[in-house]
Amino acid sequence: MTGNTFGENFKITTFGESHGKAIGVIVDGVPSNLTLSEEDIQRELDRRKPAQSFITSQRIEDDKVEILSGVFEGKTLGTPICMIVFNRNQRLEDYLDLKNKFRPGHADFTYFAKYGIYDYRGGGRASGRETLARVAAGAIAKKILEQKNIKIIGYTKSVFNIEAKKIDYNEIEKNPVRCPDKNAAKKIIKKIIEVQKLKDSVGGIVEVVVKNCPAGIGEPVFNKLDAMLAYAMLSIPSVKAFEIGTGFKCTTMFGSQQNDEFYYDRKLKRIKTKTNYSGGVLGGISTGEDIIFRIAVRPTSSIGKEQTTVDISGKEYEISIKGRHDPCICPRIIPVAEAMTAIVLVNLLKNA
Amino acid sequence: MTGNTFGENFKITTFGESHGKAIGVIVDGVPSNLTLSEEDIQRELDRRKPAQSFITSQRIEDDKVEILSGVFEGKTLGTPICMIVFNRNQRLEDYLDLKNKFRPGHADFTYFAKYGIYDYRGGGRASGRETLARVAAGAIAKKILEQKNIKIIGYTKSVFNIEAKKIDYNEIEKNPVRCPDKNAAKKIIKKIIEVQKLKDSVGGIVEVVVKNCPAGIGEPVFNKLDAMLAYAMLSIPSVKAFEIGTGFKCTTMFGSQQNDEFYYDRKLKRIKTKTNYSGGVLGGISTGEDIIFRIAVRPTSSIGKEQTTVDISGKEYEISIKGRHDPCICPRIIPVAEAMTAIVLVNLLKNA
Amino acid sequence: MTGNTFGENFKITTFGESHGKAIGVIVDGVPSNLTLSEEDIQRELDRRKPAQSFITSQRIEDDKVEILSGVFEGKTLGTPICMIVFNRNQRLEDYLDLKNKFRPGHADFTYFAKYGIYDYRGGGRASGRETLARVAAGAIAKKILEQKNIKIIGYTKSVFNIEAKKIDYNEIEKNPVRCPDKNAAKKIIKKIIEVQKLKDSVGGIVEVVVKNCPAGIGEPVFNKLDAMLAYAMLSIPSVKAFEIGTGFKCTTMFGSQQNDEFYYDRKLKRIKTKTNYSGGVLGGISTGEDIIFRIAVRPTSSIGKEQTTVDISGKEYEISIKGRHDPCICPRIIPVAEAMTAIVLVNLLKNA
Amino acid sequence: MTGNTFGENFKITTFGESHGKAIGVIVDGVPSNLTLSEEDIQRELDRRKPAQSFITSQRIEDDKVEILSGVFEGKTLGTPICMIVFNRNQRLEDYLDLKNKFRPGHADFTYFAKYGIYDYRGGGRASGRETLARVAAGAIAKKILEQKNIKIIGYTKSVFNIEAKKIDYNEIEKNPVRCPDKNAAKKIIKKIIEVQKLKDSVGGIVEVVVKNCPAGIGEPVFNKLDAMLAYAMLSIPSVKAFEIGTGFKCTTMFGSQQNDEFYYDRKLKRIKTKTNYSGGVLGGISTGEDIIFRIAVRPTSSIGKEQTTVDISGKEYEISIKGRHDPCICPRIIPVAEAMTAIVLVNLLKNA
């Protein structure tokens, strides 16, 4: 079993270390005759890039995507699309101090345990930078979904103990934390600045909503829509949990509360549920209601605060991670979560 | 993309409707020369079967597993192992009333939306009964793990608002709710009986711990150990959430709290972490610490209480589900969660 | 990588040793609402069964197929279909003499080399009997193709040096060697009887033609239609070669001869080729012309003639294989080749 | 089902049109800590490149491979290795005349039939140029096999009716047609020059031998070693047939001739066969003898001779293909066949 391919009908294979020559992805299974340009991809990549505001990493990643194959005269050929971003602006000096020392909360140690070697220059494949390949692939998936009027909306539901009290989709892209509640956004920003000053980081919850997904999507019994989403979400660096619909809250509910009753909507001329506690999925198949799920985003592993660790020989060190890291990764994880959601949906829609 | 196969190196393919002729599984990728008998499988199946106590479903499922292939003179041949349980003791009359009416919280509607047909006799493939095939396959996976001294322990962490305050592994199989805290177990049983009288059901949290998994297991970037576990867990009927380590709690933590610091353990002669907030996985690869995760189990969908619904033509009905359903499915989901965990681990260990 | 699954969209997984309890298959990816009965399957199985005439094996295999899942009230559910044939009428005494002795031309030795164990009772998974599972799955694939008017016709092209001089499809099922040329059939039958008397066996060539496959089927660059067919054909026991169109003959041809020129057929209103030397496939994708390929079928390995061999300890023996074996397996391989062809086509059509 | 990925444990995914920006491959599943440099890859690519001699295409393809990921300080990381060759020296003017006209023997028509669009500049994905990605991946596979002392040797067995009468491995790379018989080589070269003058092309047979493959490799019943080889070979452009061991010749043999008798080799201390008519594979698993197979290579489709065809609207044209095409592709297909053989073996060895 290899690890760098996801999906079967719309299959993405990513490559590249964070400080290697390039990061990229091959997307196989894209329908032919779809209009596609580098701008379509760049737009999504720009939503993920650092230094969008003062509260994200101040690295300048001048990430320009190039399409190397699969597009001819502005249209997809039906052949694999390779997209690539060359790595530039690498401050390798930030990493030399850390050579062979395992950063707490990072994958240095586990990669070394697994492979007997690792690229100590910034996380290699375990770096969040790998996710730009997913966002590029997701941009194509989103274009396919758009044709079916399916929309994916991700936002910061909470950071630390500050929760969005209302969900105004129009607000999301207006504030740097992508919070749909203007007031909560302000408080979150304040909190992040505070944490940043302490050379620390903080976690949060990202919620994703899928609009207009028709009923009938998902492949029981293993490739359930919610199982595939959980799989995709937990594959994103920093994500520690997934819940759909009521999620963990349903463990303190009764069946009579959690069950969504069916009714016939005369206007829409289709069967709907009165409530949506299931989050749009029953038995692993979409119900036609909004798909709603949440993921837990851990506080960024890279912190300036001193931490104790060991190097590959087991010798102890105090380390402090330099560089330009995000104190809270939620805003930048949103486009990644949306991309992986789009990729899951396109894979399952092909079977519908 | 089909839906009934899981895993690549240790590949299981399940079949069977809950009220069809039989339910079974083919397991491909089992090493040869492993001692294996029907008793090995039956033992695990018996942990999943209903009517183990008064608080689980009182259906008598006389589920005797038969091995049809892949075992010769008590040893595995390295060829696919087909295991089958014929369906007996079916009380079809319980379902006739419900013909063509969509039970709330069940997959009747979504199966019909997807396939244009469904087996109305008790859930078909969406029935919890499908999971016996997983438990059978998992029994083989567990035998393989035993040889490497890897142990999987599942238990009820909470039901409704009653939480286990201590974790005593020896207690788990002594009480019918598989709770590792004797006192919590009593309260949970009381709660379940109460809920049962109200013709309702209740949810809970199941926790799974993997002991002695070596460092280095998991395939980044998509087939991460935690991503595969989330995928496997969410594929189990009634599971609505997955979290590993601190899970959702880490969203209110700082990086300096969540990061597990490394040290060198002179006695064990290996690198360990002082804490285990990550739940035994970093960057999708096992750290060598205990793997700890939790799943949210929704209140059973089948309840005796009256509910409103529609039939396939959209006509409204009041229904009340008869039959012998579990008021809380946590105790019976535990062997399923353990089985799927074992299957994930064996798949990933083959790559180590 | 496991070995007992074929296909992705229409995925078959087979199980069972020739002298174990049962042989069967799970077919996943069958569309729902397809009319399907055990008779549909049995008809194809009967074409493969031994003792159809005096020149095939005289074993009486009373192979009755049972559908265990995936069909409800005569219609497919869209869920996995498990089909099973229980093994009866086993003359194990035929094999006891051969215990632990490697039959020449058989897989006893290689299975033992691979697995360190093998089922010595008649070939286990390597037995031709395994192919009944493929024929059962192929029967479903054929039903799907029929809806698109796609027909698969297999026949014996030659046995030893006797070749069919004309191809009369109506003749095929009228003679026991399934030869489309009545006169060649007579000579082949005579030859087979002659070989049988010598306790020997003989090989032949089977040709398969696919009618009405639309242009555009096949997935470059690896899952080409011809590559998938070659893969499927070589997976059939006794098949040692595959060629499409002119095949090996094209190696003595010029480009100007082999290239099929295009023209526009005004009656059919589509582009066709004047000749069909390519065998209906260009660049791995169907052209819309007949798909024509041939496979080489080796002389049956099981012969009554004395042969030298060794047992698992390396000790030498003279052995002579008893039992009721086919002196020429071509007529019985035809339904298997057709089944695998149908399975390949259905897999690739799902992408069209 | 997508088409651009091959293998499961050692998984290659290729991309790139012949006249697009670049051609490349991601190889996933390469063991870590393998010494690997661009020179290792370039050496194999140079064996495939055109203009190695006057009888191959005179295109100058200055194909320099770049490794973009997966290698760090000269060692593999265990992460995916992306290798890329940028397309330069494109003489697009050679193709403008042919725009929208379907070249006979080429895939222009079938790609258009499948995708409704195609890259008319030289074959796109169907071009032989795609195979450089396979050769690059195969170079890594070969390095892995070398560590196990497994060697793959490919050579031209025949061209037109000129056949190698003896097999001298040392001769192969000494003549431009890679024929192991010096005299046959001379005759073949003469024939090719003759054909070239006629603006025509000619086919041939390539034979591949695998030395030192241990017994026990191959995954019955579908992923048989010979089935995987046939699959891999037929996926190579211009290959129309595959045979292993005696291949088609066995159809005129008796079982007593084709069966290889076993004996115990006292010197090697292992069981061997006296003959090797099976070509080193029984029941889909390697016997430990040499693996020997042959492929039929069709005469190159691109010829200067006038041919009749139609354009996408069905209008008839006379065309004559300009450019620098190989009159016989056998010598350049050899490194491709070796590469695909290596990739199949590494995939199957991982299971051994």
Side-chain angles (χ1 to χ4, degrees):
Chain A
M1 189 189 289
T2 58
N4 299 281
T5 298
F6 187 88
E8 198 174 288
N9 299 320
F10 182 92
K11 183 182 282 178
I12 74 168
T13 305
T14 71
F15 69 89
E17 279 68 46
S18 65
H19 288 69
K21 277 197 183 177
I23 282 184
V25 61
I26 301 176
V27 187
D28 201 4
V30 180
S32 59
N33 273 312
L34 184 77
T35 304
L36 190 72
S37 68
E38 286 169 354
E39 289 67 43
D40 290 324
I41 312 301
Q42 194 65 48
R43 200 178 313 121
E44 284 295 314
L45 282 186
D46 288 348
R47 289 181 67 220
R48 195 212 70 96
K49 78 173 176 190
Q52 293 171 64
S53 78
F54 60 97
I55 58 144
T56 52
S57 161
Q58 294 305 302
R59 278 193 307 283
I60 309 298
E61 292 181 3
D62 184 22
D63 291 340
K64 286 289 163 227
V65 72
E66 273 182 72
I67 296 176
L68 296 182
S69 67
V71 178
F72 180 58
E73 301 180 339
K75 300 267 186 191
T76 57
L77 285 165
T79 61
I81 296 175
C82 182
M83 295 177 287
I84 197 168
V85 169
F86 285 93
N87 290 326
R88 297 189 180 93
N89 193 268
Q90 299 172 345
R91 288 178 32 185
L92 293 178
E93 63 277 16
D94 287 351
Y95 294 101
L96 287 178
D97 273 9
L98 296 172
K99 184 173 171 177
N100 293 339
K101 292 170 195 158
F102 300 132
R103 291 167 299 164
H106 277 275
D108 306 337
F109 167 65
T110 51
Y111 269 64
F112 185 70
K114 181 177 188 68
Y115 298 112
I117 182 175
Y118 76 104
D119 183 344
Y120 54 79
R121 302 166 308 170
R125 290 291 285 161
S127 164
R129 192 160 164 75
E130 175 271 335
T131 60
L132 72 79
R134 309 181 184 211
V135 172
I140 301 177
K142 281 185 171 184
K143 284 210 82 166
I144 297 168
L145 295 177
E146 266 166 32
Q147 296 180 327
K148 296 172 198 286
N149 201 28
I150 299 174
K151 261 191 94 157
I152 299 168
I153 305 157
Y155 45 81
T156 297
K157 187 76 190 298
S158 70
V159 165
F160 199 67
N161 59 2
I162 310 156
E163 203 179 331
K165 298 295 182 208
K166 57 174 194 172
I167 308 293
D168 176 355
Y169 295 153
N170 294 319
E171 189 57 39
I172 299 170
E173 296 290 323
K174 288 188 188 155
N175 64 71
V177 287
R178 293 200 164 97
C179 181
D181 172 346
K182 200 193 288 195
N183 290 325
K186 279 183 199 157
K187 288 181 201 162
I188 288 171
I189 293 167
K190 211 179 135 210
K191 183 74 196 171
I192 290 176
I193 293 171
E194 191 186 308
V195 163
Q196 201 172 20
K197 283 185 187 149
L198 298 168
K199 296 188 175 179
D200 213 332
S201 64
V202 68
I205 294 174
V206 164
E207 188 163 79
V208 178
V209 180
V210 182
K211 296 272 179 196
N212 305 323
C213 179
I217 306 306
E219 290 299 317
V221 297
F222 296 112
N223 293 329
K224 285 171 169 157
L225 174 49
D226 39 358
M228 292 294 286
L229 287 171
Y231 177 23
M233 291 305 126
L234 268 287
S235 79
I236 301 172
S238 299
V239 174
K240 302 297 286 178
F242 169 91
E243 63 176 13
I244 188 157
T246 47
F248 274 101
K249 219 174 94 184
C250 82
T251 67
T252 58
M253 288 167 74
F254 299 116
S256 57
Q257 295 171 311
Q258 167 75 17
N259 285 349
D260 299 307
E261 292 189 324
F262 292 104
Y263 73 100
Y264 185 77
D265 187 307
R266 277 166 222 286
K267 223 168 88 186
L268 296 175
K269 288 186 179 159
R270 62 181 177 85
I271 293 166
K272 287 183 63 61
T273 57
K274 296 177 190 171
T275 49
N276 187 17
Y277 295 127
S278 74
V281 180
L282 280 175
I285 304 174
S286 61
T287 60
E289 307 296 320
D290 284 357
I291 299 164
I292 306 180
F293 62 87
R294 280 167 303 284
I295 56 177
V297 180
R298 55 159 289 163
T300 318
S301 307
S302 291
I303 53 173
K305 263 199 175 166
E306 290 234 317
Q307 298 172 93
T308 312
T309 192
V310 296
D311 69 5
I312 61 172
S313 70
K315 203 183 148 189
E316 280 205 3
Y317 286 90
E318 291 287 313
I319 64 167
S320 147
I321 297 172
K322 287 171 206 156
R324 305 145 296 172
H325 303 284
D326 295 77
C328 177
I329 200 68
C330 287
R332 290 182 60 210
I333 248 180
I334 289 165
V336 183
E338 288 177 11
M340 291 306 296
T341 302
I343 290 163
V344 166
L345 285 171
V346 169
N347 267 287
L348 292 172
L349 274 163
K350 278 234 183 167
N351 282 35
Chain B
M1 189 188 288
T2 58
N4 299 281
T5 298
F6 187 88
E8 196 173 289
N9 299 318
F10 182 92
K11 183 182 281 178
I12 74 168
T13 305
T14 72
F15 68 90
E17 278 68 47
S18 65
H19 288 70
K21 277 197 183 177
I23 281 183
V25 61
I26 301 177
V27 188
D28 200 4
V30 181
S32 59
N33 273 311
L34 184 76
T35 305
L36 189 72
S37 68
E38 286 169 354
E39 288 67 42
D40 291 324
I41 312 301
Q42 194 64 48
R43 201 179 312 122
E44 285 294 317
L45 283 185
D46 287 349
R47 290 181 66 219
R48 194 212 70 94
K49 78 174 175 190
Q52 294 171 62
S53 78
F54 58 98
I55 58 143
T56 52
S57 161
Q58 294 304 303
R59 279 192 307 280
I60 308 299
E61 292 182 3
D62 184 22
D63 290 340
K64 285 293 162 223
V65 71
E66 272 183 74
I67 297 177
L68 295 181
S69 67
V71 179
F72 180 56
E73 301 180 342
K75 302 268 186 189
T76 57
L77 285 165
T79 61
I81 297 174
C82 182
M83 296 178 286
I84 198 168
V85 169
F86 284 93
N87 291 326
R88 297 189 182 93
N89 193 267
Q90 301 171 343
R91 288 178 32 184
L92 293 178
E93 63 277 16
D94 286 350
Y95 295 101
L96 287 179
D97 273 9
L98 296 171
K99 185 172 171 177
N100 292 339
K101 293 170 195 157
F102 301 132
R103 293 167 298 164
H106 278 275
D108 305 337
F109 168 65
T110 52
Y111 269 64
F112 185 71
K114 181 177 187 69
Y115 299 112
I117 183 175
Y118 75 105
D119 183 344
Y120 53 78
R121 303 165 308 169
R125 290 290 287 162
S127 164
R129 192 161 164 74
E130 175 271 335
T131 61
L132 73 77
R134 308 179 185 214
V135 172
I140 302 178
K142 280 185 172 186
K143 283 210 81 167
I144 296 169
L145 294 177
E146 265 166 34
Q147 296 179 326
K148 297 173 195 288
N149 200 27
I150 299 174
K151 260 191 93 156
I152 298 168
I153 304 157
Y155 45 84
T156 297
K157 187 75 193 298
S158 69
V159 165
F160 200 65
N161 61 0
I162 311 157
E163 202 179 331
K165 297 295 182 208
K166 58 175 193 172
I167 308 293
D168 177 355
Y169 294 153
N170 295 317
E171 188 57 38
I172 299 168
E173 297 291 323
K174 289 189 187 154
N175 65 70
V177 286
R178 293 201 165 98
C179 181
D181 172 347
K182 201 192 288 195
N183 290 326
K186 279 183 201 159
K187 288 180 201 162
I188 287 170
I189 293 167
K190 212 179 134 209
K191 183 74 196 172
I192 290 175
I193 294 172
E194 193 184 307
V195 163
Q196 201 171 19
K197 282 185 188 149
L198 299 168
K199 297 189 174 181
D200 212 333
S201 64
V202 69
I205 294 175
V206 163
E207 188 164 78
V208 178
V209 180
V210 182
K211 296 274 180 195
N212 305 323
C213 180
I217 305 308
E219 290 300 317
V221 298
F222 295 113
N223 293 330
K224 286 172 168 158
L225 175 49
D226 39 358
M228 293 294 286
L229 287 171
Y231 177 23
M233 291 306 125
L234 267 288
S235 79
I236 301 172
S238 298
V239 174
K240 301 296 285 181
F242 169 90
E243 63 176 13
I244 188 157
T246 46
F248 273 101
K249 220 176 92 184
C250 81
T251 66
T252 58
M253 287 168 73
F254 299 116
S256 56
Q257 296 171 310
Q258 167 77 14
N259 285 350
D260 299 306
E261 292 188 324
F262 292 103
Y263 73 100
Y264 185 76
D265 187 306
R266 278 165 221 287
K267 223 169 87 186
L268 296 175
K269 289 186 178 160
R270 61 180 177 87
I271 293 166
K272 286 183 61 63
T273 56
K274 295 177 190 173
T275 49
N276 186 17
Y277 294 127
S278 75
V281 179
L282 281 174
I285 305 173
S286 62
T287 59
E289 308 296 320
D290 284 358
I291 298 163
I292 306 180
F293 62 87
R294 279 168 301 287
I295 55 177
V297 179
R298 56 158 288 162
T300 318
S301 307
S302 291
I303 53 173
K305 264 198 174 168
E306 289 235 317
Q307 299 171 93
T308 312
T309 192
V310 296
D311 70 4
I312 60 171
S313 70
K315 202 183 150 191
E316 280 206 3
Y317 286 90
E318 290 289 312
I319 64 166
S320 145
I321 297 172
K322 287 170 206 158
R324 306 145 296 172
H325 302 286
D326 294 78
C328 176
I329 201 68
C330 287
R332 290 183 60 209
I333 248 180
I334 289 166
V336 183
E338 288 177 12
M340 290 307 294
T341 302
I343 290 163
V344 166
L345 285 170
V346 169
N347 268 288
L348 292 172
L349 274 162
K350 279 234 184 168
N351 281 36
Chain C
M1 192 189 285
T2 59
N4 299 282
T5 297
F6 187 88
E8 198 173 288
N9 299 319
F10 182 91
K11 183 182 281 178
I12 74 168
T13 304
T14 73
F15 68 90
E17 278 70 45
S18 65
H19 288 69
K21 279 196 182 176
I23 282 184
V25 61
I26 301 177
V27 187
D28 200 5
V30 181
S32 59
N33 273 313
L34 184 75
T35 305
L36 189 73
S37 68
E38 285 168 355
E39 290 66 43
D40 291 323
I41 312 300
Q42 194 65 48
R43 200 180 313 121
E44 284 295 314
L45 282 185
D46 287 348
R47 289 181 66 221
R48 195 212 70 95
K49 78 174 175 190
Q52 293 171 64
S53 79
F54 59 99
I55 58 143
T56 51
S57 162
Q58 294 305 302
R59 279 192 306 281
I60 310 298
E61 292 181 4
D62 184 22
D63 291 339
K64 287 289 165 226
V65 72
E66 272 182 73
I67 297 175
L68 296 182
S69 66
V71 179
F72 179 58
E73 301 180 342
K75 301 268 186 189
T76 57
L77 285 165
T79 61
I81 297 174
C82 182
M83 295 178 288
I84 197 167
V85 170
F86 284 93
N87 291 326
R88 298 189 180 94
N89 192 267
Q90 300 172 346
R91 287 174 36 180
L92 293 179
E93 61 279 15
D94 287 351
Y95 294 100
L96 287 179
D97 273 9
L98 296 171
K99 184 174 170 177
N100 292 340
K101 293 169 196 158
F102 300 132
R103 292 168 299 163
H106 278 275
D108 305 337
F109 167 65
T110 51
Y111 269 64
F112 185 70
K114 182 177 187 69
Y115 298 112
I117 182 175
Y118 75 104
D119 183 344
Y120 53 80
R121 303 166 307 169
R125 289 291 286 161
S127 165
R129 193 162 164 74
E130 175 271 336
T131 61
L132 73 78
R134 306 180 187 213
V135 172
I140 301 178
K142 280 185 172 185
K143 285 209 80 166
I144 296 168
L145 295 178
E146 264 166 34
Q147 296 179 327
K148 298 173 196 287
N149 200 28
I150 299 174
K151 258 192 94 157
I152 298 168
I153 305 157
Y155 46 82
T156 298
K157 186 76 190 298
S158 70
V159 166
F160 198 66
N161 60 2
I162 311 156
E163 202 178 331
K165 298 295 180 207
K166 58 175 194 172
I167 307 293
D168 177 355
Y169 295 153
N170 294 319
E171 189 57 38
I172 300 169
E173 297 289 324
K174 289 189 185 152
N175 64 70
V177 287
R178 293 201 164 96
C179 180
D181 171 347
K182 201 193 287 194
N183 291 324
K186 280 183 199 156
K187 290 182 201 161
I188 288 171
I189 292 166
K190 211 179 133 207
K191 183 74 197 170
I192 290 175
I193 293 170
E194 195 185 305
V195 163
Q196 200 171 21
K197 282 185 187 148
L198 298 168
K199 296 188 174 178
D200 214 332
S201 63
V202 68
I205 294 174
V206 164
E207 188 164 80
V208 178
V209 180
V210 182
K211 297 273 179 196
N212 305 324
C213 179
I217 306 306
E219 291 299 317
V221 300
F222 295 113
N223 293 330
K224 286 172 167 155
L225 175 50
D226 39 359
M228 292 295 285
L229 287 170
Y231 177 23
M233 291 304 126
L234 267 287
S235 79
I236 301 172
S238 298
V239 175
K240 300 298 285 180
F242 169 90
E243 63 176 14
I244 187 156
T246 47
F248 275 101
K249 219 174 92 184
C250 82
T251 68
T252 59
M253 288 168 74
F254 299 116
S256 55
Q257 296 172 313
Q258 168 76 18
N259 284 350
D260 299 307
E261 292 189 325
F262 292 103
Y263 72 100
Y264 185 77
D265 189 305
R266 277 165 222 286
K267 223 170 85 188
L268 295 175
K269 288 187 179 159
R270 61 179 175 89
I271 293 167
K272 285 184 62 61
T273 57
K274 297 176 190 171
T275 50
N276 187 16
Y277 295 128
S278 75
V281 179
L282 281 174
I285 304 173
S286 62
T287 60
E289 307 296 320
D290 283 357
I291 299 164
I292 306 180
F293 62 88
R294 281 167 300 285
I295 55 176
V297 180
R298 54 157 293 162
T300 319
S301 308
S302 292
I303 54 173
K305 264 200 174 165
E306 288 234 318
Q307 300 172 93
T308 313
T309 194
V310 296
D311 70 4
I312 59 171
S313 70
K315 204 182 148 190
E316 279 205 2
Y317 287 90
E318 290 289 313
I319 63 167
S320 147
I321 298 171
K322 287 171 206 155
R324 306 143 296 172
H325 303 286
D326 296 77
C328 176
I329 200 69
C330 287
R332 290 182 60 211
I333 248 180
I334 288 165
V336 183
E338 288 176 11
M340 290 306 295
T341 302
I343 290 162
V344 166
L345 286 171
V346 170
N347 268 288
L348 292 171
L349 275 163
K350 277 235 184 165
N351 282 35
Chain D
M1 190 189 287
T2 59
N4 299 282
T5 298
F6 187 87
E8 196 173 289
N9 299 318
F10 182 92
K11 183 182 281 178
I12 74 168
T13 304
T14 72
F15 69 89
E17 278 70 45
S18 66
H19 289 69
K21 278 196 183 178
I23 281 183
V25 61
I26 301 177
V27 188
D28 200 5
V30 181
S32 59
N33 273 311
L34 184 76
T35 305
L36 189 72
S37 68
E38 286 169 354
E39 289 67 41
D40 291 324
I41 311 301
Q42 193 65 47
R43 199 180 314 122
E44 285 295 314
L45 282 185
D46 287 349
R47 289 182 67 220
R48 194 212 70 95
K49 77 174 175 191
Q52 293 170 64
S53 79
F54 59 99
I55 58 144
T56 50
S57 160
Q58 294 304 302
R59 278 194 308 281
I60 309 297
E61 291 182 4
D62 184 23
D63 290 340
K64 286 291 163 225
V65 71
E66 273 182 73
I67 297 176
L68 296 181
S69 66
V71 179
F72 179 58
E73 302 181 340
K75 301 268 185 190
T76 56
L77 284 166
T79 61
I81 296 175
C82 182
M83 295 178 287
I84 197 167
V85 170
F86 284 93
N87 291 326
R88 298 189 180 93
N89 194 268
Q90 300 172 344
R91 288 177 33 182
L92 293 179
E93 62 278 14
D94 288 351
Y95 295 101
L96 287 179
D97 272 8
L98 297 171
K99 185 172 171 177
N100 292 340
K101 293 169 195 158
F102 301 131
R103 292 167 300 164
H106 278 275
D108 306 337
F109 167 64
T110 52
Y111 269 64
F112 185 70
K114 182 176 186 68
Y115 299 112
I117 183 175
Y118 76 105
D119 182 345
Y120 54 78
R121 303 165 308 168
R125 288 291 287 161
S127 164
R129 192 162 165 74
E130 175 271 335
T131 61
L132 72 79
R134 308 181 185 213
V135 172
I140 301 178
K142 280 185 172 186
K143 284 210 81 167
I144 296 168
L145 294 177
E146 266 166 33
Q147 296 180 328
K148 297 173 196 288
N149 201 29
I150 299 174
K151 259 191 92 157
I152 299 167
I153 304 157
Y155 45 83
T156 297
K157 187 75 191 300
S158 70
V159 165
F160 199 64
N161 60 0
I162 309 156
E163 201 178 332
K165 297 294 182 208
K166 58 174 194 172
I167 307 294
D168 177 354
Y169 295 153
N170 294 319
E171 189 58 38
I172 300 168
E173 295 291 323
K174 289 189 187 152
N175 64 69
V177 287
R178 293 202 165 95
C179 181
D181 173 346
K182 202 193 288 196
N183 291 324
K186 281 183 200 157
K187 289 180 200 160
I188 288 171
I189 293 167
K190 210 178 135 211
K191 184 75 196 173
I192 291 175
I193 294 171
E194 194 185 305
V195 164
Q196 202 170 19
K197 282 185 189 150
L198 299 168
K199 295 189 175 178
D200 213 333
S201 64
V202 68
I205 295 174
V206 164
E207 187 164 82
V208 178
V209 180
V210 182
K211 297 273 180 196
N212 304 323
C213 179
I217 306 307
E219 290 299 317
V221 298
F222 295 112
N223 293 330
K224 286 172 168 157
L225 175 48
D226 39 359
M228 292 295 286
L229 286 170
Y231 177 22
M233 291 305 125
L234 266 288
S235 79
I236 301 172
S238 298
V239 175
K240 300 298 285 179
F242 169 91
E243 63 176 12
I244 187 157
T246 46
F248 273 102
K249 219 175 92 184
C250 82
T251 67
T252 59
M253 288 167 73
F254 299 116
S256 56
Q257 296 172 311
Q258 167 75 17
N259 284 350
D260 301 305
E261 291 188 327
F262 293 103
Y263 74 100
Y264 185 77
D265 187 307
R266 277 165 222 285
K267 224 169 86 188
L268 295 176
K269 288 185 178 159
R270 60 180 177 87
I271 293 167
K272 286 184 62 62
T273 58
K274 296 177 191 172
T275 50
N276 187 17
Y277 294 128
S278 76
V281 179
L282 281 174
I285 304 173
S286 62
T287 61
E289 307 297 321
D290 284 358
I291 299 163
I292 307 181
F293 61 87
R294 280 167 302 287
I295 56 176
V297 179
R298 56 157 291 163
T300 319
S301 308
S302 291
I303 54 173
K305 263 197 174 168
E306 290 234 317
Q307 300 171 94
T308 311
T309 193
V310 296
D311 69 4
I312 59 172
S313 69
K315 202 183 150 190
E316 279 205 4
Y317 286 90
E318 290 289 310
I319 63 165
S320 148
I321 298 171
K322 287 171 205 155
R324 305 144 296 173
H325 303 285
D326 295 78
C328 177
I329 200 69
C330 287
R332 290 181 61 209
I333 248 179
I334 289 166
V336 183
E338 288 177 12
M340 290 307 295
T341 303
I343 290 163
V344 166
L345 285 171
V346 169
N347 267 288
L348 292 171
L349 274 163
K350 279 234 183 167
N351 282 36

